[in-house]
Each structure stands twice: as C-alpha cells, then as structure tokens.
Amino acid sequence: MFKIIKGMKRGSKPEVIEPPPGPNAPSDVTVNHASRSAIPPAQLTNTKSQAISRNPAPQTGVIEVTPLLKDVPISERHVLFIRKVNMCSASFDFSDPLKKVKEKEIKRQNLQELVELVQSGSSKMNEIMQEEMINMISVNIFRALPPQAFENTGAIDGDPEEDDMYLEPSWPHLQLVYELLLRYVVSPDTDTKVAKRFIDHSFVLNLLDMFDSEDPREREYLKTILHRVYGKFMIHRPFIRKAINNIFYRFIFETERHPGLGELLEILGSIINGFAVPMKEEHKLFLVRALIPLHKAKFINYYHQQLSYCIIQFVEKDYKLADIVIRGLLKYWPVTNCGKEILFLGELEEILDATQPAEFQQCMIPLFRQIGRCINSPNFQVAERVLFLWNNEHIVDLIAQNRDIILPILFEPLEKNIRGHWNTAINGLTGNVRKMFIEMDSDLFEECSNQFLEKEAMANKMLEQRELTWKKLEAIASEGGGDDMVMVN
C-alpha cells in the first residue's frame, strides 16, 4: 500500500512511482479509436468511466524505430515529434507477455524520451505539438475501467490496508503517460494561456472520472496532477471544487463507495489550507452539505484520516464553525459500529482541541450526553478512548470552566462504571476522571452525589411500590380462583 501524504503542500516534489517488476507484460497491439462525446462543462455528474479521446486517435498501425529527437536537425524535430506521439497513441493488450514485445518496447522508449524532453525543457513545443501530445495522453488515460468488486458483491468490506489491490496490467506504459502529463503541467516552459486550450474543463472532468480506478498507483498520480492543475490554472479552481463536490454528493446519496475518495480529500485538505479568512459562504456550505455528511458512510475507515484533516482545517481557519461541526458529528454518530465510534472519538478530540469556550458552551449539553453513553459502552475500547479525552489539557480546561453543567450529566455514567463495568482498566480510568472532578470542585461533586443518591432511593422506592402492586394483583387473582380478569389501576 502506498503511503498517503497528508495535506500535500503546493510546490512539493511529486513521488515518481516505478512500474512493478513481474511477469505481467504486454500483448496485442491496437490503435485506440474509441471515443465518447466530450462532456460539457455544465454537466458535472458523470455516470461511468469510459474511454474518451478529445480527437480521434491517429489511424496508423505502424510502430517502428525512429531516431532520437536530439539526433535530428531542429527543422525536422517537429515532424518527428508528431510521429512519435502518433505511435504512442497505440494501445496494447497486456494479457500475453509474448506478443508484440518489440512494438511495446518501442512505445515505452518513445514515451520515456518524451518525458525526458518535457522535463529538461531542451526543446520548445509549439501549440500543434502540445495539442497532439495532450490528445495522445487522453487516448491512453481516458479509458474504460474494469468492473469493480462492489459491482458483484453489492458492497465493499474489510480493511483497506489488507484488501488485495487491483493493479493495472498496462502500468509500464500508463505510468510514463502520467509522468509525461505531470511534467508538462509543472514545467516552467508551459504557458498556461496556451495549455488551458487543451487542459480545459472537459479534460479536468475526465481526470476526475479516473479517480474511480482501483489501482492506488494511478490514483496517486491523479492526485498529484490534479493538485498541480488546481495550483497552476486559476480559471479551473471553482470548477474543480464544484466537480469534486458533486462526486461527494453522488457518494453520499447514491453509491456510498468510491476508491478515490481519500485522494480527493487529500487534495481538498491542501485547498482548504489555502482558503482566505474570513471564509466565503460557498466554502462553509461545502463543509455542511458535503464534508460532514461523509461521516454517515459505513466504511468510513477507507478515508476517515483525510476527512478528519479537512474538518480540522475548517475549524482552525474559523473557530466559530466548531459548534456546527460537533453537532454534525453527533448527528451521524454510530450506534452499533464500535470501530467507527472509536474513529469519531479521535476526530472529536482534535476538534475540541481547536474549540474556543464560547463555541464549546453552545454544544456541550448534547455532546456530553453522548460522551456519557460512550463511558458506559460495553466495548472497552470505546470506553477507554472516551476516557482518554481527560488526558488533553485544553479539553480538561473547557470542562473545568463548565463543570456545573457537565458534572451533573456525567456523574451517573461515571458512578455506573465504578460500580459495575466488567473491565478493570475502565474502572481505573473512570476512577481517575472521578478524582479530577473532585479536585475541580468538591462541593459540586458532593451535591451531585447527594442528588444521585436521592434519585437512586426514589427509583428503589418506585421499584418496591411496583413489586407491592404485583403482589396485590396475585392475591386478588388467587382469591378469585383465576376465573375472572381483575384490573387494578
């Protein structure tokens, strides 16, 4: 599994992922003529990933060795460049390693040469060369993705770190195509005024479509490229945010699965980090309508780390959003999924660590009712995680400032744990929290203790009264011989 870079900063050097060694080599050669209509910019929701080319692929099946660009006169480089690009538009079937080995190697060498050319900046590309190159990249990248596991099972399950990953068999070529696109986007020689004619809204939308790939190497490249496109092409920024927003809506309301959700959230984490303060209403609506509802998915463990980072960025940017975020978290709080509950508690601690007293007071009553339920959880990991909140000094300070409201809410859950939780470690942690409340305000603790004892005595009295009523009913029933039904109010 490739390591996720949390909150990638602009200008960071992208990781170049080498193609994996192994027997998966190539097979039949074809030229990709399949295409679909370019999606209009207004249409932001795609249905299914399909092959797409901005222009029809060059219809030539001739793959042959050509001289290096650096070895030919400058006047002939333009024609040779176009020729190499045309050959790179050919696609291969990689299921058989023994077929078309020579042609595959020629394409790989041509792609490698194009990558080195763009990276070095040794040769200036005119508009026609750039357009042909982007067309070739589109033919290779924008393709039909294989059926995914969830389509057969109806759901995804398991640990994302342990699941078998799908690896794209054509990666030895595809990786070089992605590398070429990345080098083109980040090159200082690339004029955005010219490049935006080819890397337009339709191209960006199809890049987003490819995030549905199950190959983590491909999603890692897509993440880096889209992040650089966002940084370099200012004209695309609102469109990219809106398109990602729509992907999230489809995930929330329709599919509840998307392999690239973690990578998209990583890009957003960096984007949110660059938001100006005060934040626009558009960004706050995105938080409320898209990011917070992402917590409702069952398999949140696939992307929770990145989602939590985005949420914390919002709270750190505008501390007044803490109340909205905490209430949103409580709205989607899991009832029967203990693993998910532990994730929520970890995120909650980070949010509270960035919360100011005024916002804390607005949500503390529903918040500590939920914390009380977690303290009494029969799952010792949930109970342990929530009791660890008292290890955070900032949270303890917030609790101490509002102890007159919080302690009456938590006293009964703490007392129940002390008296009867099955796990001895939880009993010890609960005792520590109880001791902290006594040190905060012994008089308040004694008052809460007296109220608890009175409530307990009243409950016992009602229980005795109920038992006495049942005894009376039994006596009446026995006297009547059980023949008549007696109702007692």
Side-chain angles (χ1 to χ4, degrees):
M1 173 66 69
F2 292 88
K3 186 176 180 181
I4 293 173
I5 304 170
K6 189 174 180 183
M8 182 181 61
K9 304 295 182 183
R10 293 178 189 169
S12 60
K13 185 176 180 180
E15 178 184 1
V16 178
I17 307 168
E18 296 296 334
N24 291 335
S27 153
D28 244 337
V29 58
T30 58
V31 178
N32 190 347
H33 302 308
S35 66
R36 71 174 179 183
S37 302
I39 303 172
Q43 185 182 346
L44 290 172
T45 30
N46 300 43
T47 52
K48 190 168 180 65
S49 300
Q50 300 176 13
I52 174 172
S53 63
R54 299 160 56 80
N55 289 319
Q59 301 191 17
T60 172
V62 180
I63 307 290
E64 58 185 4
V65 177
T66 54
L68 298 176
L69 288 166
K70 64 180 181 180
D71 293 338
V72 299
I74 295 177
S75 59
E76 299 177 11
R77 287 182 186 177
H78 172 86
V79 175
L80 182 59
F81 180 92
I82 300 296
R83 188 178 174 191
K84 287 178 179 287
V85 165
N86 287 347
M87 285 191 288
C88 290
S89 295
S91 61
F92 295 89
D93 179 6
F94 278 71
S95 60
D96 189 342
L98 301 178
K99 288 185 178 180
K100 303 294 182 181
V101 177
K102 180 181 177 182
E103 288 84 348
K104 294 171 192 173
E105 179 59 22
I106 292 172
K107 178 180 176 179
R108 191 196 66 79
Q109 290 177 0
N110 283 336
L111 286 170
Q112 186 65 54
E113 185 183 3
L114 292 175
V115 170
E116 292 171 358
L117 177 74
V118 174
Q119 186 173 1
S120 65
S122 57
S123 178
K124 299 288 184 181
M125 292 188 292
N126 59 34
E127 290 187 29
I128 296 175
M129 295 167 70
Q130 292 181 56
E131 184 175 13
E132 290 294 329
M133 185 180 72
I134 295 300
N135 287 340
M136 179 272 290
I137 290 171
S138 299
V139 166
N140 280 274
I141 292 177
F142 304 143
R143 66 202 189 281
L145 295 174
Q148 296 171 341
F150 89 102
E151 295 178 355
N152 298 322
T153 62
I156 55 175
D157 200 350
D159 187 338
E161 298 294 333
E162 296 178 359
D163 287 349
D164 292 334
M165 295 179 294
Y166 168 79
L167 298 178
E168 172 61 50
S170 63
W171 188 247
H173 287 182
L174 196 59
Q175 187 259 345
L176 289 172
V177 177
Y178 275 117
E179 187 67 23
L180 176 61
L181 176 58
L182 175 60
R183 295 304 167 192
Y184 173 73
V185 171
V186 302
S187 173
D189 296 324
T190 300
D191 186 351
T192 55
K193 293 181 180 179
V194 175
K196 71 180 180 181
R197 300 174 191 171
F198 322 123
I199 301 181
D200 55 13
H201 285 178
S202 177
F203 186 91
V204 168
L205 204 57
N206 284 290
L207 274 182
L208 285 165
D209 214 18
M210 290 297 104
F211 274 89
D212 215 26
S213 170
E214 290 194 335
D215 192 326
R217 302 168 301 180
E218 182 168 14
R219 297 199 305 270
E220 191 71 18
Y221 259 107
L222 286 163
K223 178 190 74 176
T224 306
I225 291 167
L226 188 64
H227 184 268
R228 295 305 182 91
V229 168
Y230 186 91
K232 190 159 189 170
F233 297 84
M234 293 188 67
I235 192 173
H236 291 332
R237 291 183 182 182
F239 180 83
I240 290 173
R241 292 197 302 269
K242 193 172 182 181
I244 294 176
N245 201 2
N246 279 4
I247 291 174
F248 289 169
Y249 286 155
R250 186 170 180 233
F251 174 87
I252 293 164
F253 297 111
E254 295 180 21
T255 64
E256 281 209 4
R257 52 82 46 214
H258 191 289
L261 213 65
E263 286 80 8
L264 290 171
L265 285 166
E266 282 188 59
I267 296 171
L268 280 172
S270 181
I271 292 173
I272 295 165
N273 191 39
F275 282 167
V277 179
M279 278 192 286
K280 297 178 181 178
E281 194 64 26
E282 165 202 346
H283 304 326
K284 295 179 183 178
L285 287 174
F286 172 71
L287 168 68
V288 173
R289 295 177 179 177
L291 286 185
I292 292 177
L294 285 175
H295 287 87
K296 81 169 189 174
K298 182 178 179 181
F299 302 105
I300 192 176
N301 56 318
Y302 279 77
Y303 59 84
H304 180 262
Q305 180 184 357
Q306 299 92 330
L307 175 60
S308 177
Y309 179 77
C310 291
I311 296 289
I312 301 304
Q313 287 287 307
F314 268 100
V315 178
E316 290 179 348
K317 285 279 182 182
D318 186 352
Y319 62 86
K320 293 182 180 179
L321 293 171
D323 174 48
I324 295 172
V325 169
I326 291 172
R327 289 181 183 274
L329 209 60
L330 294 175
K331 178 181 178 180
Y332 297 105
W333 199 275
V335 178
T336 59
N337 190 330
C338 295
K340 186 175 176 181
E341 199 164 9
I342 292 168
L343 293 177
F344 273 48
L345 287 167
E347 183 177 353
L348 178 63
E349 180 174 359
E350 291 190 73
I351 294 167
L352 288 174
D353 204 31
T355 301
Q356 299 302 311
E359 286 66 40
F360 179 79
Q361 289 171 0
Q362 293 174 20
C363 62
M364 63 183 175
I365 293 176
L367 171 62
F368 279 89
R369 283 175 181 164
Q370 180 59 56
I371 286 176
R373 288 190 284 270
C374 292
I375 288 173
N376 290 146
S377 173
N379 184 290
F380 82 95
Q381 290 177 314
V382 173
E384 180 183 60
R385 185 65 187 86
V386 72
L387 290 168
F388 280 163
L389 292 176
W390 274 263
N391 291 336
N392 188 301
E393 292 183 8
H394 180 68
I395 295 175
V396 171
D397 288 341
L398 292 172
I399 293 172
Q401 294 170 26
N402 301 277
R403 59 188 180 275
D404 55 330
I405 296 175
I406 294 173
L407 182 55
I409 297 173
L410 292 184
F411 189 89
E412 185 174 342
L414 292 171
E415 198 66 23
K416 283 183 178 179
N417 268 17
I418 291 290
R419 293 185 180 188
H421 199 284
W422 66 270
N423 187 280
T424 54
I426 299 304
N427 290 334
L429 289 170
T430 305
N432 293 337
V433 172
R434 191 171 180 265
K435 184 180 178 181
M436 291 176 73
F437 275 115
I438 294 173
E439 292 173 353
M440 285 178 193
D441 194 331
S442 58
D443 294 338
L444 176 62
F445 189 88
E446 186 176 353
E447 183 184 340
C448 290
S449 180
N450 292 334
Q451 290 176 358
F452 176 75
L453 293 174
E454 289 176 7
K455 182 179 178 181
E456 192 175 42
M458 188 177 295
N460 290 334
K461 186 177 180 180
M462 289 179 65
L463 181 61
E464 291 174 2
Q465 185 66 36
R466 189 178 294 113
E467 289 177 354
L468 184 60
T469 302
W470 277 111
K471 287 179 181 179
K472 288 180 179 180
L473 284 169
E474 289 173 358
I476 294 170
S478 61
E479 288 175 4
D483 296 331
D484 298 325
M485 182 178 290
V486 180
M487 296 186 65
V488 177
N489 292 328

